[in-house]
Amino acid sequence: MFRKFYLLYGLLTLSTAAFGQYRGWSLDTINQLKNVPKSVRDNPGSYRSVYGGYHHYTGGK
Amino acid sequence: MSAGAPPLSGPPKPQAKALNCPKCGAAIVLRSFGQAETVVCGSCHSILDAKDPSLAILQQFEIKTSDIRPLIPLGTRGKLRGTDYEVIGFQRRSTKVDGITYCWHEYVLFNPYKGVRYLSEYNGHWNDISICKTLPSVDSAFLNSPGASADYLGESYKHFQTSDANTDFVLGEFPWQVRVGEHAAVTDFVHPPRVLSSEKLDKEVTWSIGEYMYGQEIWDAFKLPGTPPEPMGVYENQPSPVTTSVTRIWVAFAAFAVFLLGLMAGFNMRAKKEPVFHETYHYNRAESKGEASFVTDVFELTGHPSTVEVKTHAPVDNHWIYVNYALINQDTEQAWDFGREVSYYHGYDSDGSWSEGQQNDAVVIASVPPGHYYLRIEPEADASLPGIPYTVDVTHDVPVFGIYGIAFLALLMPVVIISFRAYTFERSRWSESDHPPMQLSSMSGGSEDDE
């Protein structure tokens, strides 16, 4: 019984991996936005990244 | 035949023969129609010669405890595996191993056409036992070695235990000359769910074959009230809950892993890995006091929705640079917003040299549709860093190997769980044997075939 389940499970896992690779899945989490104003092209300062303005790494061990 | 008498339907029902105990006068019921060798008086505990018309007394014993009561009362009838049986005898037996006494119960079942068979019960574990029809072959030279085995009807049974069994208590009828206090050398060989047992009493050896039964099957067969006692621990021939062959599952896993490797190689070869953008910029703190952000030239992504990798390289040395990115689709106004840090620190302390971070960073954006794109870039850097060059590379349609890593772990996880379950179960089983797990060379669990 488990063997049948595992064969099915394995095929599903491989199919998912293949589908994910084909569709371009990634393990990185990226924030997706819609309706970014066209003016950004001419005026980059009109858009502010949600990640900007806060810090980051300050130094080593 | 008289006209008024109704005709008899079917064979006549067997009737028990009623006698009296010559010792105490209590009623003795003989249910096995002359097949019994001995019968025990339930009142005075005299073992009587059932073949003797006057029921000669063979032995009288005293019961040490009053809590010995058969779970299936004598005289109970039931259908066991398609055959009607009546419980005619009961005995309690025990063995002493390492100073600990283990007790179990045996029931004698009788059918006038099929003869006698037995049920044994130990801590809620039941076995349906019958006498072997042919003599098993066993290599007695290696009887107590871990690899000892016996063959019976084409199946190999592994040696489990050899011990002395003592008869403590008897009740009802027995097709042999039973005595309380008699010792027999019992050797068990197992091939779950079966157990092959030899019982040596004086010079006589009796081989029997037992098959594990669940308490509920017994309760259903004899229509007993209540519920059967819960099984405790793992019994010697108890079927493993892992009914699948663990070896076969590992073989299936290996096949899947090879297929996954092939999938990875195939997609890796098929991936375009197309460089669509490459530029080196220079971060200058003095200049960035104004508007630091800027946009790149437009580049085109073609084909189906796929991955986009953005790599950042900066020759930082005990500094950091942080780049805010937005990958923007010029036509649809759709954007992917992310920030990446490149930092590299190193030095010496009391533990020796150390380093953290690296001068490269890469991120993969998932499922980016084809179209015309540009990057909005806004760099920030360590306050102590006056300026630094950094390079941005964009590659379209790159393979993500992490997906295969996750798939590999997903394939591995059930195999590990099932193997662990099989291992722990077999370990519990064999820890009660003459060959505890420390001496066990191979795990016998999971050798059962699927279904």
Side-chain angles (χ1 to χ4, degrees):
Chain A
M1 185 65 189
F2 179 80
R3 203 159 71 97
K4 282 179 187 167
F5 160 77
Y6 185 69
L7 290 176
L8 215 71
Y9 171 81
L11 288 174
L12 194 72
T13 304
L14 289 181
S15 309
T16 307
F19 179 76
Q21 195 63 258
Y22 177 77
R23 293 291 297 173
W25 290 358
S26 168
L27 304 184
D28 295 315
T29 307
I30 305 289
N31 190 27
Q32 195 174 342
L33 305 168
K34 286 177 180 173
N35 303 320
V36 173
K38 278 189 188 298
S39 58
V40 176
R41 183 90 191 106
D42 302 317
N43 181 13
S46 66
Y47 171 86
R48 283 284 169 240
S49 166
V50 292
Y51 297 99
Y54 75 96
H55 186 319
H56 326 294
Y57 201 85
T58 50
K61 190 172 175 181
Chain B
M1 186 187 291
S2 68
L8 289 171
S9 60
K13 283 197 171 178
Q15 297 292 318
K17 187 179 174 184
L19 299 163
N20 289 95
C21 173
K23 172 81 177 171
C24 68
I28 302 286
V29 180
L30 282 176
R31 299 180 173 92
S32 63
F33 309 103
Q35 296 218 12
E37 291 278 336
T38 46
V39 59
V40 183
C41 173
S43 179
C44 67
H45 305 296
S46 296
I47 299 175
L48 312 170
D49 187 349
K51 295 290 184 192
D52 182 357
S54 58
L55 296 177
I57 299 169
L58 299 171
Q59 186 191 30
Q60 190 173 15
F61 64 95
E62 286 181 12
I63 51 168
K64 290 169 187 164
T65 57
S66 57
D67 61 345
I68 306 173
R69 229 177 38 184
L71 290 169
I72 315 173
L74 297 192
T76 306
R77 290 184 180 188
K79 187 169 265 192
L80 191 69
R81 294 181 167 166
T83 305
D84 290 316
Y85 282 102
E86 182 175 0
V87 180
I88 62 166
F90 167 78
Q91 64 174 338
R92 192 182 86 164
R93 306 183 78 187
S94 64
T95 186
K96 208 168 191 176
V97 179
D98 296 334
I100 303 167
T101 304
Y102 300 90
C103 299
W104 68 96
H105 301 122
E106 290 179 3
Y107 298 83
V108 184
L109 310 182
F110 176 71
N111 175 292
Y113 305 103
K114 300 276 184 178
V116 171
R117 69 190 303 134
Y118 309 90
L119 284 176
S120 75
E121 184 267 331
Y122 172 73
N123 276 351
H125 300 279
W126 293 81
N127 266 290
D128 172 25
I129 300 167
S130 52
I131 302 298
C132 289
K133 291 185 173 69
T134 59
L135 196 63
S137 66
V138 58
D139 190 348
S140 55
F142 304 103
L143 197 59
N144 289 319
S145 68
S149 64
D151 291 321
Y152 180 66
L153 298 179
E155 276 183 342
S156 182
Y157 292 74
K158 290 176 96 172
H159 178 258
F160 191 85
Q161 197 170 54
T162 300
S163 60
D164 278 330
N166 184 50
T167 304
D168 298 334
F169 176 84
V170 289
L171 193 64
E173 295 163 60
F174 296 86
W176 71 91
Q177 288 287 335
V178 73
R179 296 287 186 280
V180 167
E182 70 186 0
H183 292 271
V186 177
T187 305
D188 286 349
F189 298 85
V190 295
H191 179 106
R194 284 178 284 283
V195 56
L196 186 66
S197 299
S198 86
E199 196 159 316
K200 190 176 178 189
L201 187 63
D202 298 326
K203 288 182 178 176
E204 186 182 314
V205 179
T206 308
W207 284 90
S208 60
I209 181 82
E211 186 168 350
Y212 189 88
M213 288 189 81
Y214 294 94
Q216 194 56 52
E217 293 178 82
I218 306 291
W219 253 240
D220 292 344
F222 290 95
K223 295 186 171 51
L224 297 171
T227 53
E230 281 294 315
M232 287 165 64
V234 175
Y235 194 57
E236 58 182 9
N237 64 324
Q238 186 177 348
S240 171
V242 181
T243 54
T244 306
S245 159
V246 172
T247 313
R248 284 189 191 181
I249 293 296
W250 276 105
V251 169
F253 165 74
F256 280 136
V258 169
F259 201 78
L260 189 69
L261 207 66
L263 210 64
M264 189 169 75
F267 270 104
N268 188 38
M269 285 193 328
R270 184 191 158 280
K272 287 193 281 189
K273 291 172 251 177
E274 177 188 18
V276 290
F277 181 80
H278 171 84
E279 197 66 63
T280 299
Y281 301 99
H282 195 276
Y283 172 77
N284 191 316
R285 174 161 295 279
E287 286 176 11
S288 70
K289 282 182 180 163
E291 178 54 53
S293 63
F294 60 92
V295 293
T296 67
D297 291 336
V298 173
F299 48 86
E300 189 180 7
L301 304 180
T302 55
H304 60 86
S306 187
T307 49
V308 169
E309 184 184 53
V310 178
K311 276 185 184 170
T312 313
H313 169 77
V316 283
D317 188 8
N318 283 329
H319 291 296
W320 59 266
I321 179 170
Y322 188 86
V323 186
N324 298 293
Y325 286 105
L327 175 70
I328 301 169
N329 187 316
Q330 185 177 246
D331 309 316
T332 63
E333 298 166 6
Q334 191 179 14
W336 286 263
D337 194 311
F338 53 99
R340 305 302 297 178
E341 178 185 286
V342 180
S343 61
Y344 178 63
Y345 288 84
H346 59 93
Y348 289 91
D349 63 9
S350 56
D351 296 332
S353 67
W354 60 269
S355 69
E356 272 183 20
Q358 51 187 6
Q359 296 177 332
N360 295 295
D361 173 76
V363 62
V364 177
I365 307 166
S367 305
V368 181
H372 295 90
Y373 289 85
Y374 63 92
L375 284 170
R376 176 191 175 276
I377 299 174
E378 186 179 350
E380 303 170 42
D382 200 331
S384 61
L385 198 63
I388 190 168
Y390 60 98
T391 305
V392 179
D393 283 289
V394 179
T395 312
H396 181 224
D397 195 16
V398 293
V400 178
F401 294 107
I403 289 176
Y404 302 108
I406 291 171
F408 182 83
L409 290 177
L411 290 170
L412 182 65
M413 195 174 56
V415 186
V416 169
I417 291 171
I418 212 84
S419 300
F420 183 73
R421 279 191 70 193
Y423 172 76
T424 51
F425 187 86
E426 291 304 320
R427 197 179 162 82
S428 297
R429 182 203 304 284
W430 287 94
S431 64
E432 298 295 323
S433 75
D434 288 349
H435 321 290
M438 287 300 283
Q439 297 170 26
L440 204 63
S441 57
S442 63
M443 191 177 71
S444 66
S447 59
E448 294 298 298
D449 285 341
D450 196 9
E451 297 163 334

